Amino acid sequence: MTRRAVPLGIGHYLPDRIVPNSHFEALVDTSDEWIRSRSGIERRHFAADGQLTSDLATRAARAALENAGISASDLDGIIVATSTPDLTFPSVGTMVQAELGMTRGFAFDVQAVCAGFIYALCTANAMIVSGQANRMLIIGAETFSRIMDWTDRSTCVLFGDGAGALILEAQDGMGTAQDRGILSTDLNSDGRYRELLYVDGGVSSTGTAGKLRMQGNPLFRQAVEKLSETAETALQRADLTSGDVDWIVPHQANIRIIQGTAKKLDVSMERVIQTVQDHGNTSAASIPLAMSVGVADGRIKRGDLILSEAIGGGLAWGAVALRW
Ligand code: UT7
């Protein structure tokens, strides 16, 4: 028998306000056509004034708990992946814990920017497999609208707000690639690339939250290369090939990155869950949002093999193979 971290439920939340590309035509020198053709983005959601990352995270968590048919008291731990916390501390995780009325167990945040959900999944998997926890809630939640420079056309048109949440439970498997749950993981980072994507403020430097800065084109080139490599590694570790993949659920930064990675992996775009057109880049929230959409509309079914990959600031990147 092999202990596996198996999906029990999933949910998401998107703020009510939907912002079409045309909104940015009045702010900066851009066009709906440029944004669509270069990124695949058509619209994104922005949080309302006063709506915090923990609010989005809690809503997604409640949806996941309902989907799983359990209550917060059934959880041993919460991990929130975010780079846009409400406060410097305490963690968004503990805020969600309090909102859910969960008074036992543990909660904390991980910060790996757009790769945050992959890092959180790997952490939760390690805790479940080692026996430290039996049921965990893993959330990706972001309000990137709060760190946009609205005068920078190369970034402000790309990002959106949202949250997705997944519940994992310890179950016994056979130790084969046919098991349900997380089958393999791969994590990487390389701090030499920090200038490609960063925020120009912080607690110990400027004392401000700062704004997002990105060198999109060199990042784009790194992304396709590194995402296909990490995805291949995760598949190999589970004795799988890309032919076994039912769904790629990728980080949703740019449709051309998604297409380029799928092509390198030799997986048809019909087997890729795409939400970038509706959500924009929601950083750590993008994978659980896309997974939740794919489950809710019936495409992702029990037993399907999912391959998720993400890359972001750091650079930090990684992949997870999991059977739904
Ligand atoms: O989630 C974390 C990971 N993030 C990513 O992986 C993002 C990776 N990068 C990208 O998605 C793409 O590089 C972008 C969508 C950001 C940009 O696409 P690109 O094809 O790499 O364009 P570019 O940066 O090479 O810019 C092409 C032109 C430039 O003008 P010139 O120098 O050719 O005159 C830009 O100034 O497009 C210009 N441009 C814009 N034009 C209209 C940049 N932003 C805009 C804009 N509207 N919003």
Side-chain angles (χ1 to χ4, degrees):
M1 289 291 192
T2 301
R3 211 171 138 94
R4 298 282 196 193
V6 175
L8 200 63
I10 191 158
H12 69 269
Y13 173 74
L14 289 157
D16 291 340
R17 185 178 169 211
I18 298 173
V19 178
N21 289 345
S22 55
H23 166 83
F24 298 95
E25 292 173 349
L27 287 184
V28 288
D29 182 14
T30 192
S31 63
D32 174 46
E33 199 283 326
W34 190 95
I35 302 168
R36 273 175 202 255
S37 62
R38 303 305 255 195
S39 72
I41 298 165
E42 297 171 21
R43 60 194 70 82
R44 74 286 290 138
H45 294 246
F46 283 162
D49 287 347
Q51 198 174 26
L52 308 179
T53 296
S54 65
D55 300 331
L56 275 50
T58 303
R59 293 233 197 185
R62 288 196 205 284
L65 286 167
E66 195 182 325
N67 183 248
I70 63 168
S71 67
S73 58
D74 298 319
L75 297 169
D76 298 320
I78 300 174
I79 307 179
V80 177
T82 188
S83 302
T84 45
D86 301 12
L87 300 172
T88 301
F89 73 76
S91 65
V92 174
T94 54
M95 294 177 188
V96 173
Q97 185 188 25
E99 282 295 318
L100 294 178
M102 178 183 161
T103 53
R104 55 171 282 278
F106 59 87
F108 62 96
D109 293 356
V110 302
Q111 202 268 61
V113 203
C114 299
F117 192 75
I118 296 288
Y119 272 64
L121 266 189
C122 292
T123 308
N125 182 50
M127 296 181 99
I128 288 173
V129 167
S130 69
Q132 196 167 356
N134 286 320
R135 278 207 192 112
M136 290 189 63
L137 169 64
I138 303 98
I139 305 171
E142 303 277 19
T143 48
F144 261 51
S145 62
R146 309 298 194 233
I147 51 166
M148 287 299 111
D149 173 353
W150 301 114
T151 66
D152 178 5
R153 69 176 182 171
S154 71
T155 55
C156 73
V157 302
L158 300 174
F159 293 87
D161 302 337
L166 174 68
I167 295 169
L168 294 175
E169 178 185 69
Q171 288 181 15
D172 286 330
M174 300 304 290
T176 71
Q178 293 314 308
D179 289 349
R180 291 188 63 221
I182 295 182
L183 300 174
S184 64
T185 62
D186 182 53
L187 290 185
N188 310 270
S189 63
D190 188 339
R192 290 174 302 174
Y193 292 106
R194 87 173 213 185
E195 296 301 319
L196 293 188
L197 180 54
Y198 66 100
V199 169
D200 64 4
V203 178
S204 78
S205 54
T206 59
T208 63
K211 299 292 177 202
L212 182 143
R213 306 292 168 204
M214 182 170 83
Q215 296 177 38
N217 198 273
L219 180 56
F220 185 101
R221 280 182 269 119
Q222 290 292 334
V224 177
E225 200 63 37
K226 289 186 160 47
L227 288 174
S228 49
E229 272 172 25
T230 186
E232 289 280 10
T233 302
L235 286 173
Q236 278 165 17
R237 285 192 182 145
D239 285 328
L240 293 163
T241 69
S242 60
D244 297 312
V245 174
D246 292 299
W247 296 105
I248 297 183
V249 183
H251 171 47
Q252 312 275 330
N254 185 317
I255 191 64
R256 292 182 298 133
I257 294 176
I258 295 171
Q259 288 164 340
T261 308
K263 193 171 173 203
K264 274 195 173 241
L265 292 169
D266 198 21
V267 172
S268 136
M269 281 302 285
E270 279 153 32
R271 291 197 279 142
V272 180
I273 306 283
Q274 301 167 50
T275 50
V276 66
Q277 67 284 355
D278 297 324
H279 301 168
N281 182 347
T282 57
S283 186
S286 85
I287 287 177
L289 270 166
M291 215 177 268
S292 180
V293 166
V295 170
D297 69 20
R299 276 178 292 173
I300 298 175
K301 296 185 181 62
R302 189 183 166 98
D304 282 356
L305 183 73
I306 297 175
L307 179 64
S308 280
E309 25 81 350
I311 187 165
L315 294 178
W317 67 101
V320 168
L322 95 126
R323 195 172 294 285
W324 193 256

